[in-house]
Amino acid sequence: MYCSKATKILWIAGFFGLCGLHRLYLGKTASGALYMFTFGLCFIGQIMDYFTLKYQIEEASAQLRQAMEINKKLKDTFKGCGQGQIPQNNTLPTTMTPIEDKNAQKESYCNEQQQQYHQV
């Protein structure tokens, strides 16, 4: 999913003062910002990334694919929602919402307490 050529070009840009751009591109914002402010951890991290760049690209691509699959499943599940239609496979509960359920529980508890008070 991620372009290895673009990632390598951004990695090379680190030697011209733009350290961390390859990490930002791969979605690693925290380490990308750290690299930017420390010049690639004094270029040690920048050099280490040369040897791990292939694995970083594979990992980021796998995470992106997984997120896209989840997004697709959610879209398929809730297709038609917001248009007055029930989601496919009846995935949403058709009984009470959690708020209504909580209110019913409170009301039931209050009724029990009142009954106990009146019995005494």
Side-chain angles (χ1 to χ4, degrees), residues 79-94:
K79 186 180 276 185
C81 283
Q83 300 169 358
Q85 298 177 359
I86 298 173
Q88 297 172 352
N89 304 330
N90 294 328
T91 54
L92 291 178
T94 55

Side-chain angles (χ1 to χ4, degrees), residues 6 9 11 16 19-20 22-23 25 33 36 38 47 51 54 56 64 66 74-75 79 82 84 87 89 103 119:
I9 289 170
W11 177 82
F16 298 102
C19 299
H22 64 289
R23 286 188 165 262
Y25 174 70
M36 289 181 117
T38 61
I47 293 168
F51 299 105
K54 177 183 175 184
Q56 290 181 37
L64 181 62
Q66 184 179 14
L74 286 173
K75 280 184 178 179
K79 186 180 276 185
N89 304 330
N103 289 338
Q119 288 176 356

Side-chain angles (χ1 to χ4, degrees), residues 30-89:
S31 62
L34 179 68
Y35 273 46
M36 289 181 117
F37 294 117
T38 61
F39 294 104
L41 299 173
C42 297
F43 291 108
I44 295 170
Q46 191 78 12
I47 293 168
M48 286 178 58
D49 279 353
Y50 173 77
F51 299 105
T52 61
L53 202 55
K54 177 183 175 184
Y55 303 108
Q56 290 181 37
I57 294 169
E58 289 173 1
E59 178 185 2
S61 294
Q63 289 175 351
L64 181 62
R65 270 191 297 277
Q66 184 179 14
M68 289 173 69
E69 287 174 12
I70 291 171
N71 189 24
K72 184 181 182 308
K73 287 179 184 177
L74 286 173
K75 280 184 178 179
D76 290 344
T77 300
F78 294 104
K79 186 180 276 185
C81 283
Q83 300 169 358
Q85 298 177 359
I86 298 173
Q88 297 172 352
N89 304 330

Side-chain angles (χ1 to χ4, degrees), residues 91-107:
T91 54
L92 291 178
T94 55
T95 57
M96 292 188 245
T97 64
I99 294 172
E100 291 172 343
D101 192 33
K102 249 187 181 175
N103 289 338
Q105 287 175 354
K106 286 180 184 176
E107 191 174 315

